[in-house]
């Protein structure tokens, strides 16, 4: 089997053993991809993991593509009857204590449970593959660097395009076009372009609002390259923005830098959050910082670990984190600055420092 897949699967099998389980049905698309490099999504197949075997069950739509790059050690079954085949596989693998991902839809759970022989137990497994996925291996870090790189180039190319008089949607469309030009496969969420009063909405998807002189524009975007995504935010100024927004920008910028500076293995997710939040609170905007400081990124846009006040996660070498403090003032506007950071052996690597964090002012 391909070395990195072999390692992922053996880690999962060890974890199952520790939990006194001898099999797992994997339904979630990103988890199937993580274990087998299958490109179908959630609902396009299932993976059965046993003590010493792994089988991917999917249908003919994926057969041609997947057969040509079938990892050694993954057994492939082609059928539309995923769940019947999964149960037959569980029996063939002699699994007696079977688990499912805790977010498996109830109807799928119920269907499989009905088919399973009575002597096989079937229990929810708390996030297990998701926890393994938090620490990225070298092949994943390579893909994440490529994704961040493409996004950095596209954003820098976008800047001359932005001006007063065009709409948020035009900006989002142009960014999408540039991302594809730099090799991105697809966006991982609808690109956020929130200008003027709309920038006070942390998740303001692009609309037909026209960008005006005096607006700040928050652009939050993530694009996949080789299956892994970026997640970046910059807030820029168009024309003359108010002194208060300039001050808020400087505060968020410093909070972002302070939080990044403390990133290293062993520090807790709540500590990173506290560093950013304390700085913003000391400068009077604590109540306007209404979300957590960051999250993991990988096959999914939102993964562990969590960088929040309630987080009990501890940073480890190989984590990929966002650091994204923000301040949002209703009616006035908001500022968010988000970088993608790899936790290294003795500190961090910033994948997104190719985009300046000094306030970019575009002449209106
Ligand atoms: Zn983001
Ligand atoms: Zn984010």
């Amino acid at each position: 089997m391909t070395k990195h897949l072999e390692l992922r699967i053996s880690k999962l099998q060890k974890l199952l053993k520790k939990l006194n389980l001898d099999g797992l049905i994997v339904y979630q698309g990103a988890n199937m991809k993580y274990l087998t490099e299958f490109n179908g999504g959630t609902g396009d197949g299932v993976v059965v993991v046993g003590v010493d075997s792994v089988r991917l069950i999917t249908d003919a739509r994926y057969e041609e593509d997947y057969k040509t790059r079938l990892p050694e050690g993954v057994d492939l079954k082609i059928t539309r009857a995923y769940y019947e085949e999964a149960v037959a596989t569980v029996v063939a693998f002699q699994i007696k204590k079977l688990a499912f991902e805790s977010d498996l839809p109830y109807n799928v759970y119920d269907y499989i449970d009905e088919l399973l022989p009575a002597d096989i137990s079937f229990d929810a497994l708390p996030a297990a593959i998701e926890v393994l996925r938090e620490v990225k291996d070298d092949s994943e870090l390579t893909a994440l660097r490529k994704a961040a790189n493409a996004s950095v180039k596209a954003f820098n190319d976008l800047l001359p395009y932005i001006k007063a008089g065009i709409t948020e949607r035009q900006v989002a469309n142009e960014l999408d076009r540039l991302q594809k030009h730099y090799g991105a496969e697809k966006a991982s969420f609808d690109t956020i372009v929130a200008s003027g009063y709309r920038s006070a909405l942390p998740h303001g998807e692009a609309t037909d609002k026209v960008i005006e002189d005096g607006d700040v524009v928050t652009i939050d975007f993530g694009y996949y390259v080789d299956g892994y995504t970026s997640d970046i935010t910059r807030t820029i100024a168009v024309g003359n923005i108010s002194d208060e927004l300039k001050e808020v920008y400087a505060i968020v910028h410093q909070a972002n830098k302070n939080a990044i500076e403390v990133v290293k293995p062993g520090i807790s997710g709540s500590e990173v959050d506290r560093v950013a939040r304390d700085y913003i609170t000391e400068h009077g905007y604590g109540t306007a910082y209404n979300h957590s400081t960051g999250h993991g990124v990988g096959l999914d846009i939102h993964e562990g670990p969590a960088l929040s006040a309630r987080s009990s996660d501890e940073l480890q070498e190989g984590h990929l984190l966002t650091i994204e403090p923000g301040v949002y003032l209703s009616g006035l506007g908001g500022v968010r600055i988000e970088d993608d950071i790899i936790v290294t052996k003795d500190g961090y690597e910033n994948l997104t420092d190719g985009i300046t964090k000094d306030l970019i002012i575009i002449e209106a």
Side-chain angles (χ1 to χ4, degrees), residues 189 192 203 219-222 230-233 295 301-302 322 324 336 338 340:
F189 58 90
I192 291 170
H203 283 113
I219 305 172
D220 186 347
F221 53 102
S230 59
D231 183 12
I232 305 173
T233 308
H295 54 86
I301 184 72
H302 288 124
T322 69
E324 51 176 306
R336 180 167 64 257
E338 177 178 32
D340 296 353

Side-chain angles (χ1 to χ4, degrees), residues 303-320:
E303 303 189 346
L307 306 183
S308 69
R310 284 168 293 128
S311 175
S312 55
D313 296 337
E314 190 175 280
L315 302 193
Q316 293 178 53
E317 184 181 356
H319 278 163
L320 187 302

Side-chain angles (χ1 to χ4, degrees), residues 141-166:
L141 291 176
T142 300
L144 285 159
R145 284 191 188 95
K146 268 173 84 174
N149 227 342
S151 285
V152 164
K153 283 185 187 154
F155 186 82
N156 286 330
D157 280 8
L158 174 72
L159 288 172
Y161 177 83
I162 302 173
K163 56 177 189 281
I166 64 171

